[in-house]
């Protein structure tokens, strides 16, 4: 009970709230925390009259405690009902466009199917620290540098140049990468120059600066749809727009490089049921799209 009590204290950020959640008294919660700190030999919680926060040692222990308790709860669920059940809180981070299109529908379905599963989703186009953020799973698009996390490729993908047909009607359809210099270009993030690769071989770096940039991919897509210029976007993010004719591919014999959909998770050992279920569901969804 000490470890479960410690988890509640950190999550509630209050001894009183933890006691209420556990259905016990404040004195019992305080006693369990003191006992755990004695056994650990370090202070796990900073306590003042106004606030409570875990120490660095407390944060390290908290991550291990949460995973251990959820593994136990999963085992108990299997014994009780004879099937694998997702339990605990599934913490996921994903890029905004991809997350809204593919991750959020799956999480909604999983939450409905697995009643003991809680979901915490962060959509951001900024790369976040998997471990420091306490995430069970991070979805990234594009090749990644070496990481201590386990990486699994979910789907192949590449970056394409696209624009609204009306924009191309007014400004012309470039026939070569060199002709992009005469166009309005829409950049994502820091506005790194585009490096293009030809289907038949060869490469080209687009030197023209961007007329507009944003760190949110959905905003750049909205600019392109609104006929402000040409953008580079993952094929998986613009497939519906291309199919419907909202956007048109530019320079179809060129692309902006491979950008596979990658899943990262802290460890391959004892992969929680909740994480594996989402991984498998996401792989099936993308394979069918």
């Amino acid at each position: 009970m000490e470890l479960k009590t410690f988890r509640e204290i950190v999550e509630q950020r209050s001894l009183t709230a933890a006691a209420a959640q556990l259905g016990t008294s404040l004195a019992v919660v305080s006693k369990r925390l003191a006992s755990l700190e004695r056994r650990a030999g370090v202070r796990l919680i900073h306590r003042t009259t106004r606030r409570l926060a875990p120490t660095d040692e407390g944060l390290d222990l908290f991550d291990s405690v949460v995973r251990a308790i959820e593994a136990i709860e999963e085992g108990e669920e299997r014994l009780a009902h004879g099937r694998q059940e997702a339990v605990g809180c599934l913490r996921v981070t994903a890029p905004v466009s991809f997350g809204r299109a593919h991750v959020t529908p799956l999480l909604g379905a999983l939450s409905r199917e697995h009643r003991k599963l809680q979901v915490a989703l962060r959509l951001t186009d900024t790369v976040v620290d998997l471990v420091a953020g306490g995430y069970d799973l991070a979805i990234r698009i594009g090749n990644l540098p070496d990481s201590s996390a386990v990486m699994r490729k979910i789907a192949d993908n590449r970056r394409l140049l696209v624009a609204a047909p009306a924009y191309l009607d007014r400004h012309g359809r470039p026939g070569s990468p060199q002709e992009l210099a005469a166009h309005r270009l829409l950049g994502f993030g820091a506005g790194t120059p585009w490096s293009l690769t030809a289907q038949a071989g060869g490469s080209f770096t687009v030197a023209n600066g961007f007329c507009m940039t944003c760190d949110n991919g959905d905003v750049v897509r909205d600019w392109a749809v609104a006929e402000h210029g040409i953008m580079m976007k993952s094929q998986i993010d613009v497939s519906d727009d291309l199919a419907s004719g909202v956007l048109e591919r530019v320079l179809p014999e060129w692309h902006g490089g491979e950008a596979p959909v990658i899943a990262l998770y802290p460890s391959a050992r004892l992969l929680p049921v909740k994480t594996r279920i989402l991984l498998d569901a996401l792989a099936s969804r993308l394979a069918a799209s």
Side-chain angles (χ1 to χ4, degrees):
M1 286 302 296
E2 288 180 359
L3 294 180
K4 287 188 175 182
T5 299
F6 176 68
R7 180 183 65 173
E8 288 297 335
I9 292 171
V10 175
E11 290 181 345
Q12 301 296 330
R13 289 296 198 270
S14 164
L15 297 181
T16 302
Q21 190 71 19
L22 293 167
T24 189
S25 68
L26 175 60
V28 169
V29 168
S30 297
K31 183 178 179 180
R32 289 174 182 170
L33 176 58
S35 175
L36 183 60
E37 287 183 327
R38 281 196 303 272
R39 291 199 294 119
V42 294
R43 181 174 289 278
L44 300 174
I45 298 291
H46 285 305
R47 298 182 287 280
T48 68
T49 55
R50 292 189 176 184
R51 63 187 299 271
L52 176 155
T55 63
D56 290 342
E57 293 82 3
L59 284 174
D60 289 341
L61 178 62
F62 175 73
D63 184 62
S64 299
V65 164
V66 168
R67 298 187 189 284
I69 291 175
E70 289 178 353
I72 292 170
E73 290 174 346
E74 286 173 3
E76 291 173 342
E77 193 68 26
R78 285 197 297 272
L79 290 173
H81 299 94
R83 71 187 185 98
Q84 291 190 323
E85 178 75 10
V87 301
C89 184
L90 177 58
R91 301 168 184 84
V92 184
T93 180
V96 177
S97 298
F98 180 86
R100 291 179 63 185
H102 300 286
V103 180
T104 56
L106 291 179
L107 289 174
L110 291 178
S111 179
R112 188 183 307 115
E113 180 181 355
H114 300 272
R115 296 296 184 177
K116 294 187 177 181
L117 178 69
Q118 297 90 47
V119 170
L121 173 64
R122 179 184 179 188
L123 295 181
T124 175
D125 290 325
T126 301
V127 175
V128 298
D129 189 296
L130 180 67
V131 176
Y135 295 106
D136 298 290
L137 185 66
I139 306 299
R140 307 272 170 79
I141 296 180
N143 292 307
L144 303 172
D146 290 340
S147 170
S148 59
V150 179
M151 288 187 281
R152 171 180 166 182
K153 185 169 78 169
I154 301 297
D156 291 318
N157 181 47
R158 60 176 40 170
R159 295 184 176 92
L160 309 179
L161 295 177
V162 297
Y167 168 85
L168 297 172
D169 289 342
R170 287 199 310 274
H171 298 276
R173 289 166 172 78
S176 69
Q178 290 83 355
E179 294 181 22
L180 290 171
H183 282 268
R184 292 171 57 84
L185 306 183
L186 310 174
F188 168 71
T192 303
W194 292 340
S195 294
L196 304 180
T197 300
Q199 304 274 50
S203 60
F204 184 84
T205 299
V206 181
N208 183 26
F210 299 102
C211 64
M212 304 170 75
T213 63
C214 183
D215 63 354
N216 184 295
D218 279 351
V219 171
V220 181
R221 179 262 179 194
D222 291 345
W223 285 340
V225 171
E227 306 169 18
H228 289 303
I230 298 172
M231 74 169 178
M232 182 184 289
K233 189 76 168 166
S234 291
Q235 181 175 358
I236 204 164
D237 288 332
V238 295
S239 57
D240 289 345
D241 288 332
L242 292 173
S244 65
V246 171
L247 293 173
E248 177 182 326
R249 186 157 178 195
V250 176
L251 295 174
E253 298 303 316
W254 294 78
H255 63 85
E258 302 300 326
V261 180
I262 303 291
L264 291 89
Y265 41 98
S267 172
R269 290 189 60 196
L270 301 176
L271 185 66
V273 172
K274 60 183 180 179
T275 305
R276 179 170 51 76
I277 287 176
L278 177 57
L279 279 171
D280 292 345
L282 185 57
S284 296
R285 179 187 179 94
L286 296 182
S289 62

